[in-house]
């Protein structure tokens, strides 16, 4: 019992120490933040190893390297991280053409988005045995976010890249269209398979792409799965390796579906514990004790995603809503902790993906 008590005390001390360290770190400038995120994605976009692949093998001939399997999105440790790493680069180039890394970003994107590479990606999606579940829903949602960015970027090269990626986009949308009516229940976890976060990205894409049929299918699916939810158990969050909040992500999703007045009423029933006294402590910032552990490092991403989701929730409430101060206060605390984790203290287990989350937050992509 003494050993357990000592271990618990050490763990609590480490968590407090990390939190105190984050509070004392200097606030970086916007330029420093932008360039840091670009560097993280450039460093891993074409870094093949280390790598985790999700790949069904039916024989010796299926044993291949990541680059052979995914000729465009083989870097950044896994397929989905590579995809949103490419989104990060696209986002920074489109929003910050004066970036010191602009030329390097354009070269990196050009290397990935060749006709041959994307045809190779499409061939993987079409291979026998892969089915429609590959990278569903997280990686597929980020791919649609990538093509959304290319659509909105007023740049001739971006339009060429979009045309190259369109066959793969069409395949992904077809896979999702086939899947959504079959989904009997939402997936309420804090990692990649969560449906609430992915559905939010997909809805945003459907508007940008003006795909009315997919938008309507997705909205009807979201309403069927989530509209009657009440009393989300926020007290049970987070789990030890979450990078998404099941409750906060669902609340951020539903503001994309409900009219504002109806959303405000739904939120009261769904998250009745949001205080009205302006106190931001209703949602505690998470801390990471070992950043070299890829699963434990997920909690840095949780702070970032919570921050932008809270901002999204606030954006759909009326200005006189008494919950706004508490929501914005919690968002600010999570924002600061999340950005500090990316700027000041990184390991490759986090650096290969956290820059994308930080960019999504700081560029207000979801608003």
């Amino acid at each position: 019992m003494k050993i357990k008590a000592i271990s618990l005390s050490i763990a609590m001390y480490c968590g407090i120490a990390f939190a105190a360290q984050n509070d004392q770190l200097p606030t970086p400038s916007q330029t420093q933040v932008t360039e840091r995120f670009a560097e993280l994605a450039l460093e891993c976009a074409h870094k093949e190893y280390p790598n985790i692949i999700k790949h069904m093998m039916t024989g010796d001939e299926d044993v291949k390297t990541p680059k052979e399997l995914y000729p465009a999105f083989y870097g950044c440790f896994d397929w989905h991280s590579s995809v949103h790493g490419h989104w990060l680069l696209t986002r920074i180039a489109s929003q910050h053409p004066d970036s010191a890394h602009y030329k390097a970003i354009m070269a990196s994107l050009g290397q990935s988005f060749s006709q041959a590479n994307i045809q190779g990606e499409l061939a993987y999606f079409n291979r026998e045995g892969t089915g429609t579940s590959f990278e569903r829903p997280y990686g597929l949602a980020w791919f649609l976010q990538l093509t959304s960015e290319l659509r909105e970027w007023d740049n001739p090269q971006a339009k060429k890249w979009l045309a190259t990626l369109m066959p793969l986009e069409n395949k992904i949308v077809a896979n999702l269209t086939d899947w959504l009516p079959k989904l009997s229940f939402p997936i309420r976890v804090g990692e990649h398979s969560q449906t609430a976060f992915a559905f939010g990205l997909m809805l945003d894409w459907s508007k940008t792409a003006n795909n009315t049929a997919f938008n309507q299918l997705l909205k009807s699916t979201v309403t069927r799965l989530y509209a009657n939810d009440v009393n989300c158990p926020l007290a049970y969050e987070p789990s030890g390796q979450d990078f998404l909040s099941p409750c906060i992500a669902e609340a951020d999703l539903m503001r994309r579906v409900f009219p504002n007045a109806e959303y405000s009423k739904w939120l009261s029933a769904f998250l009745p514990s949001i205080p009205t006294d302006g106190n931001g402590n209703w949602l505690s910032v998470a801390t990471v004790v070992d950043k070299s552990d890829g699963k434990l490092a997920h909690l840095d991403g949780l702070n970032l995603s919570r921050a932008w989701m809270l901002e999204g929730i606030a954006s759909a409430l009326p200005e006189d809503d008494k919950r706004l101060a508490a929501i914005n206060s919690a968002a600010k605390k999570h924002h600061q902790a999340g950005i500090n984790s990316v700027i000041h203290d990184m390991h490759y287990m986090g650096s290969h993906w956290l820059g994308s989350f930080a960019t999504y937050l700081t560029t207000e992509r979801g608003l």
Side-chain angles (χ1 to χ4, degrees):
M1 291 297 294
K2 288 184 178 180
I3 293 175
K4 289 184 178 180
I6 292 171
S7 298
L8 178 61
S9 299
I10 292 172
M12 293 176 62
Y13 172 79
C14 289
I16 294 170
F18 270 103
Q21 181 184 21
N22 269 347
D23 289 340
Q24 296 171 5
L25 291 172
T27 302
S29 69
Q30 182 58 52
T31 299
Q32 288 176 313
V33 167
T34 301
E35 302 301 347
R36 171 62 169 164
F37 299 161
E39 289 166 3
L40 292 175
L42 287 169
E43 287 171 3
C44 76
H46 300 109
K47 180 177 180 178
E48 189 171 8
Y49 299 105
N51 205 304
I52 292 180
I53 59 174
K54 180 183 178 182
H55 173 58
M56 179 181 288
M57 294 180 288
T58 59
D60 291 348
E61 67 278 5
D62 291 330
V63 179
K64 297 180 179 179
T65 66
K67 190 173 183 180
E68 290 173 318
L69 295 172
Y70 324 125
F73 303 119
Y74 60 85
C76 294
F77 198 69
D78 47 43
W79 193 88
H80 52 259
S81 297
S82 179
V83 168
H84 60 62
H86 284 78
W87 168 81
L88 184 164
L89 295 175
T90 305
R91 181 70 172 169
I92 289 180
S94 66
Q95 299 294 305
H96 303 281
D98 57 344
S99 167
H101 297 294
Y102 182 83
K103 289 184 178 179
I105 289 174
M106 297 300 285
S108 182
L109 293 175
Q111 179 179 338
S112 296
F113 298 158
S114 70
Q115 193 76 32
N117 284 348
I118 301 306
Q119 286 300 314
E121 294 282 342
L122 183 59
Y124 188 80
F125 272 78
N126 285 325
R127 72 186 286 268
E128 185 178 356
T130 295
T132 60
S133 64
F134 177 71
E135 288 289 349
R136 187 186 72 197
Y138 181 80
L140 305 187
W142 272 113
F143 181 87
L144 296 180
Q145 186 69 199
L146 169 59
T147 56
S148 292
E149 200 69 48
L150 291 172
R151 276 185 173 84
E152 295 178 355
W153 186 8
D154 186 16
N155 180 291
Q157 186 58 61
K159 304 311 177 189
K160 293 179 181 178
W161 287 332
L162 176 61
T164 301
L165 267 62
M166 280 296 294
L168 183 54
E169 179 187 84
N170 291 337
K171 174 63 176 177
I172 285 172
V173 173
N175 283 0
L176 291 170
T177 299
D178 180 67
W179 171 60
L180 289 172
K182 302 174 184 177
L183 186 63
S184 299
F185 303 97
I187 304 172
R188 306 178 191 275
V189 298
E191 297 187 271
H192 307 88
S193 57
Q194 185 193 109
T195 45
F197 167 66
F199 287 170
L201 294 190
M202 292 174 192
L203 275 173
D204 293 346
W205 170 84
S206 68
K207 294 180 180 179
T208 301
N210 197 27
N211 191 320
T212 303
F214 188 78
N215 179 271
Q216 292 176 347
L217 171 61
L218 191 50
K219 280 187 174 180
S220 66
T221 302
V222 169
T223 301
R224 172 170 59 85
L225 296 178
Y226 293 109
N228 296 320
D229 286 354
V230 296
N231 295 318
C232 195
L234 192 59
Y236 292 171
E237 295 187 21
S239 294
Q241 55 192 37
D242 282 356
F243 63 87
L244 299 168
S245 163
C247 291
I248 303 300
E250 182 176 342
D252 187 44
L253 167 67
M254 298 308 288
R255 53 106 178 170
R256 293 171 164 94
V257 177
F258 285 136
N260 285 1
E262 188 175 349
Y263 174 70
S264 179
K265 182 180 179 180
W266 177 89
L267 185 65
S268 296
F270 181 67
L271 286 176
S273 60
I274 300 177
T276 57
D277 60 359
N279 191 333
N281 294 329
W282 61 282
L283 198 61
S284 298
V285 172
T287 57
V288 176
V289 175
D290 182 0
K291 292 178 180 288
S292 68
D293 186 310
K295 287 292 189 177
L296 297 180
H298 277 179
L299 291 173
D300 280 333
L302 178 70
N303 290 330
L304 293 164
S305 65
R306 273 182 173 177
W308 83 59
M309 291 171 183
L310 289 166
E311 291 175 359
I313 294 167
S315 72
L317 296 175
E319 293 182 359
D320 61 350
D321 193 297
K322 295 181 179 180
R323 295 167 292 187
L324 276 176
I327 293 171
N328 288 328
S329 177
K332 183 177 180 180
K333 292 180 179 180
H334 283 77
H335 184 125
Q336 179 180 356
I339 296 302
N340 281 343
S341 71
V342 180
I343 293 294
H344 297 288
D345 185 15
M346 291 290 281
H347 184 279
Y348 191 64
M349 288 296 99
S351 68
H352 76 271
W353 68 279
L354 281 169
S356 299
F357 272 47
T359 300
Y360 191 91
L361 169 63
T362 59
T363 63
E364 299 184 338
R365 180 54 177 161
L367 298 180

